[in-house]
């Protein structure tokens, strides 16, 4: 891989080429190679400490990679390449790249002093300079989509965890991203609230949204995922169709992990 940008005709939304990440002496990512096609739902599983969340944060340059190259939507993320060397982009340039990427975290990270509607409209108004009336119209449509139009005037503390996470998804969608990243979006929820969040994610997948989902929800991965990636020790150990990986894992490490979670 040598080009700074990938041609528009290429159907790969994410291309990770030999990604490494160090925190001092701790080598968290050890050469991750991964491609995600446009419209694909890629589910990433693995034990704690395997590098799943770190990799996800590298995709939108919330974490700076230590080595390798990472492209999103045809653009080299976080860097400009010249004569084979990488030069880091200015923060404003990275922020412009991130506008095309939505991210939903384990914790909801809603602004507690803002209503649900204000939480969803804030980024389009402040970042995209969208007229507030237009942003409100789009936000109400998104809240309707996630089943929370009747909560537009409520504040985060008045919502359940599942409702807060659905607002977080609506907030990410308000920027009209071409890629959605989910970092274990149901792990902080009570079990009875998990389904309502997964239903929204399932709806997004059916609508053709490109998604990378770090998850422990094996049923969701089997039903909705196009690709299942098993990570351990900072590398991709196994990748394939979800049913194939879950039912007939080829790698011993994958089999050992799945024997404990299925």
């Amino acid at each position: 891989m040598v080009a700074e940008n990938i041609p528009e005709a290429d159907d790969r939304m994410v291309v990770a080429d030999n990604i490494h990440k160090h925190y001092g002496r701790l080598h968290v990512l050890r050469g991750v190679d991964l491609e995600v096609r446009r419209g694909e739902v890629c589910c990433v599983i693995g034990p704690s400490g395997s590098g799943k969340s770190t990799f996800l944060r590298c995709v939108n340059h919330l974490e700076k990679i230590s080595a390798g190259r990472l492209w999103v939507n045809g653009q080299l993320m976080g860097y400009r390449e010249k004569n084979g060397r990488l030069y880091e982009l200015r923060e404003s340039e990275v922020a412009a790249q991130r506008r095309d990427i939505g991210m939903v975290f384990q914790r909801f990270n809603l602004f507690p002093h803002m209503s649900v509607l204000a939480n969803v409209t804030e980024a389009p108004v402040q970042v995209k300079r969208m007229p507030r009336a237009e942003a409100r119209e789009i936000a109400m449509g998104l809240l309707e989509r996630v089943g929370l139009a009747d909560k537009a005037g409520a504040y985060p503390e008045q919502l359940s965890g599942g409702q807060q996470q659905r607002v977080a998804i609506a907030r990410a969608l308000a920027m009209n991203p071409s890629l959605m990243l989910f970092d274990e979006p149901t792990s902080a929820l009570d079990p009875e609230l998990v389904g309502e969040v997964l239903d929204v994610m399932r709806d997004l997948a059916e609508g053709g949204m490109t998604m990378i989902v770090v998850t422990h929800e094996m049923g969701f991965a089997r039903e909705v995922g196009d690709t299942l990636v098993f990570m351990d020790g900072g590398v991709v150990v196994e990748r394939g169709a979800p049913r194939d990986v879950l039912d007939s894992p080829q790698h011993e490490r994958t089999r050992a992990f799945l024997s404990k979670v299925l």
Side-chain angles (χ1 to χ4, degrees), residues 26-256:
L26 184 60
H27 197 174
V28 179
L29 300 179
R30 298 171 174 265
V32 174
D33 294 310
L34 187 65
E35 295 183 357
V36 180
R37 304 282 169 175
R38 298 182 189 276
E40 180 179 347
V41 178
C42 175
C43 294
V44 184
I45 63 172
S48 297
S50 60
K52 308 183 301 297
S53 294
T54 299
F55 173 72
L56 206 66
R57 292 171 65 87
C58 286
V59 172
N60 63 359
H61 205 63
L62 285 176
E63 295 285 357
K64 299 176 183 179
I65 62 176
S66 303
R69 304 284 193 278
L70 208 156
W71 290 262
V72 175
N73 208 15
Q75 291 189 319
L76 185 62
M77 279 298 298
Y79 299 92
R80 181 180 294 106
E81 188 167 3
K82 185 175 182 180
N83 298 326
R85 296 188 63 183
L86 293 182
Y87 299 88
E88 192 163 355
L89 297 179
R90 295 189 299 270
E91 183 56 38
S92 61
E93 296 174 302
V94 176
Q97 290 184 324
R98 287 198 192 110
R99 293 176 192 173
D100 206 33
I101 306 170
M103 186 160 186
V104 178
F105 300 88
Q106 296 180 33
R107 295 291 175 177
F108 325 121
N109 295 330
L110 300 178
F111 298 117
H113 63 289
M114 291 184 178
S115 70
V116 165
L117 183 61
N119 264 280
V120 179
T121 59
E122 182 70 6
V125 170
Q126 298 298 329
V127 179
K128 285 191 167 184
R129 304 302 181 193
M130 184 181 293
R132 193 167 293 277
E134 181 182 350
R136 286 173 60 90
E137 182 178 352
I138 291 172
M140 286 304 301
L142 290 170
L143 290 173
E144 181 73 38
R145 183 175 183 180
V146 301
L148 291 172
D150 62 328
K151 299 293 185 181
Y155 286 81
E157 65 178 9
Q158 298 172 300
L159 305 179
S160 70
Q163 289 171 328
Q164 290 188 59
Q165 194 64 296
R166 283 187 280 157
V167 173
I169 294 173
R171 181 177 61 179
L173 292 174
M175 292 294 285
N176 193 29
S178 57
L179 170 68
M180 285 287 288
L181 308 176
F182 292 89
D183 187 8
E184 299 188 22
T186 61
S187 65
L189 300 179
D190 292 333
E192 66 268 21
L193 302 177
V194 168
E196 63 189 55
V197 175
L198 295 181
D199 285 345
V200 172
M201 295 169 63
R202 187 177 292 106
D203 177 68
L204 290 178
E206 291 174 352
M209 175 64 74
T210 309
M211 299 160 59
I212 303 179
V213 184
V214 173
T215 185
H216 293 295
E217 301 293 338
M218 301 301 168
F220 175 86
R222 180 189 295 271
E223 178 188 349
V224 180
D226 297 298
T227 304
L228 185 62
V229 172
F230 172 67
M231 287 184 65
D232 189 36
V235 300
V236 173
V237 175
E238 190 163 342
R239 170 189 171 129
R243 291 181 184 276
D244 292 342
V245 175
L246 293 174
D247 294 341
S248 303
Q250 299 301 301
H251 197 282
E252 175 58 36
R253 183 65 188 93
T254 315
R255 289 195 289 271

